[in-house]
């Protein structure tokens, strides 16, 4: 089992990085939206979004529950899972919770960045997201904890009046009389992936700080309260969420497109989120614009993590940088992001490099059945931002800033 790239960071740096990783996972969909709308129209885009989240979220939710010791079948367990889910990144998707008893609770969103992204597109797109997509995907997330859980709206957009707060509100009810939702087609395919089954290093319970989330539900997660060991594991798990959502996206594409067209669309989504994520990581950690900074960004980028899944190597020395993608990794066998890179398709890597310095560019050094080696060079002239990254900037999440909310409060039964 490989180590973790995140071990090189301090506890404070990891606490800064975690909300960034959660937000960038959420923005994967923003990267793909324009391309799926172009390919399938609004209705088809909605169907793809439903399928990818339904397939991925139960798998990664259960992984996070096991890793952080909050397995259970009650409302509190569901809410804790949402706080560590790329579908609900903190503050950008500002979930607030109330627990009535073990089987009843409510959540509402004081701020919903996803809604602010689609409201300018009109009510049809709002209805697609807040009704058509949320109904089956909220239930799929709850299903990971209890198949008898149902998530139902109290109110939701389109907002009337236009500035209504909270932006939406939902009840969560667990009842033995509830009929569990059907298991989505292809759920077994995602559950059988290497991403679903990869083993990561255990959290050291002796490390200073919180090692799990077995205590009370908190109003917010303050990542600085967790131990370094816990934050390393959390970062690796969140990166797996990125990959699992991507694998769900590819399953949805392949049922609608021929293989070549599906991978071409997948590469466009990858390039858009790759560049925006690299930019946010670089800014969050206050890195520079040289090869040393790029090496750090690449080692921490969710496309290349966790190491146990990707086995990616990034080597920087004397102003030169090489990235090696082995062809025998778990990520390659799954067909996730690393498998989309070959000697003729380096756009996602170009996007990452240019996010650190617009003069950086990727070129192939060697390509064999065993590995692909790519070098980052410094060009004479800067390159323009790619269309894929520019489209991803459509989201307000591209420039979203996190704030310190202070000490979180435990939420007890009302």
């Amino acid at each position: 089992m490989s180590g973790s790239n995140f071990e090189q960071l301090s506890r404070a740096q990891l606490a800064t990085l975690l909300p960034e990783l959660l937000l960038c996972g959420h923005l994967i969909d923003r990267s793909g939206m324009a391309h799926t709308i172009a390919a399938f129209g609004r209705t088809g885009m909605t169907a793809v979004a439903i399928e990818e989240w339904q397939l991925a979220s139960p798998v990664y939710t259960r992984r996070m529950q096991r890793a952080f010791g909050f397995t259970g079948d009650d409302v509190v367990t569901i809410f804790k899972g949402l706080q560590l889910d790329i579908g609900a990144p903190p503050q950008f998707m500002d979930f607030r919770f109330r627990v009535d008893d073990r089987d009843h609770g409510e959540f509402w969103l004081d701020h919903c960045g996803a809604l602010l992204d689609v409201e300018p597109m009109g009510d049809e797109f709002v209805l697609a997201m807040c009704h058509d997509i949320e109904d089956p995907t909220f239930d799929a997330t709850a299903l990971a904890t209890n198949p008898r859980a149902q998530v139902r709206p109290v109110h939701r957009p389109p907002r009337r009046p236009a500035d209504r707060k909270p932006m939406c509100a939902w009840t969560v009810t667990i009842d033995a009389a509830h009929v569990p939702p059907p298991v989505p087609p292809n759920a077994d395919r995602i559950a059988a992936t290497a991403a679903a089954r990869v083993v990561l290093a255990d959290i050291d319970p002796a490390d200073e700080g919180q090692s799990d989330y077995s205590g009370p539900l908190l109003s917010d997660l303050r990542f600085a309260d967790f131990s370094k060991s816990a934050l390393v594991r959390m970062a690796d798990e969140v990166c797996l969420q990125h990959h699992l959502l991507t694998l769900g996206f590819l399953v949805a594409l392949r049922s609608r497109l021929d293989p070549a067209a599906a991978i071409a669309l997948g590469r466009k989504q990858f390039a858009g989120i790759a560049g925006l994520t690299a930019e946010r990581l670089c800014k969050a950690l206050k890195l520079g614009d040289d090869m040393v900074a790029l090496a750090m960004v690449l080692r921490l980028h969710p496309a290349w993590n966790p190491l146990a899944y990707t086995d990616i190597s990034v080597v920087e020395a004397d102003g030169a940088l090489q990235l090696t993608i082995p062809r025998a990794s778990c990520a390659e066998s799954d067909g996730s992001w690393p498998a989309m890179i070959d000697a003729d398709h380096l756009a996602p890597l170009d996007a990452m490099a240019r996010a650190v310095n617009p003069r950086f560019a990727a070129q192939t050094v060697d390509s064999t059945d065993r590995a692909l080696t790519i070098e980052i060079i410094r060009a004479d002239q800067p390159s323009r931002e790619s269309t894929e990254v520019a489209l991803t900037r459509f989201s307000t999440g591209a420039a979203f800033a996190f704030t310190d909310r202070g000490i979180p409060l435990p939420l007890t039964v009302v």
Side-chain angles (χ1 to χ4, degrees), residues 207-238:
D207 202 4
E208 181 181 358
Q210 189 174 326
S211 61
D212 61 33
Y213 195 13
S214 59
L217 172 70
L218 300 173
S219 57
D220 290 294
L221 281 189
R222 189 167 64 171
F223 296 102
D225 291 338
F226 287 90
S227 69
K228 177 175 177 177
S229 173
L231 290 170
V232 167
R233 177 61 183 270
M234 195 181 292
D236 278 333
E237 290 288 351
V238 173

Side-chain angles (χ1 to χ4, degrees), residues 344-361:
D344 299 317
H345 297 93
L346 302 180
L349 256 171
D350 275 331
M352 294 179 198
R354 290 168 185 167
V356 175
N357 188 319
R359 291 191 175 182
F360 288 162

